[in-house]
Amino acid sequence: MTRHVVARVDEIPQGGRKIVSLNGREIGIFKLGDGFYGLINRCPHQGAPLCRGEIVSRLVAPSPGDYRLTRSGEMLRCPWHCWEFDIRTGKSLCDPHRVQARAFDVAVEPGQILVEGPFVAEAVKVTIEESYVVVTM
């Protein structure tokens, strides 16, 4: 699996999103609480740009006429047909066992690790002295 750096942590506000293109696919990166979550920008219902939909709360009705909003800002509503998906898992609220948007693993890593990577190149100092190029080893 290939890893991609898509944003600095401060580029995505709390409760916000950033849509990025990776290998020809658009993916929405969302920040909820201390975590970041990734969803494919394609609704499994009819292919709408899912990640451009409204971020909403979950509406529950334990009994007729008793409506409550829960999980504030954790649901994503498809802009075409209003199907709702859990941002953390991609599962659809209408049929969570059969319908879901593809979710991607997202991690936060210190910048120094990304710059250095697992390999460290040997540095060689090069200077110019009069007309000669000198390599110091």
Side-chain angles (χ1 to χ4, degrees):
M1 299 204 121
T2 305
R3 297 173 43 206
H4 301 271
V5 176
V6 295
R8 287 187 328 271
V9 169
D10 62 359
E11 284 182 53
I12 305 172
Q14 180 62 35
R17 78 193 105 192
K18 179 178 183 177
I19 297 174
V20 299
S21 182
L22 300 174
N23 297 331
R25 290 188 209 156
E26 282 194 344
I27 297 170
I29 309 299
F30 298 84
K31 182 176 183 182
L32 301 178
D34 292 334
F36 288 85
Y37 303 89
L39 290 178
I40 192 79
N41 189 23
R42 182 175 167 78
C43 180
H45 174 226
Q46 289 190 345
L50 179 62
C51 296
R52 298 186 190 285
E54 186 177 358
I55 296 172
V56 297
S57 300
R58 181 172 186 190
L59 176 67
V60 295
S63 61
D66 183 11
Y67 302 104
R68 298 179 191 161
L69 292 176
T70 64
R71 300 185 61 195
S72 179
E74 294 183 19
M75 301 296 145
L76 184 61
R77 182 178 293 149
C78 176
W80 287 2
H81 300 110
C82 295
W83 285 29
E84 293 180 357
F85 297 84
D86 184 328
I87 292 173
R88 296 177 194 271
T89 64
K91 290 185 178 183
S92 165
L93 292 184
C94 67
D95 191 354
H97 301 292
R98 292 186 28 213
V99 179
Q100 75 178 54
R102 181 171 178 197
F104 292 87
D105 292 331
V106 178
V108 174
E109 297 183 7
Q112 190 62 32
I113 290 173
L114 295 174
V115 171
E116 289 180 359
F119 307 104
V120 178
E122 180 181 1
V124 178
K125 184 177 178 183
V126 177
T127 60
I128 300 175
E129 296 177 8
E130 297 198 13
S131 304
Y132 302 96
V133 175
V134 178
V135 174
T136 305
M137 296 185 73

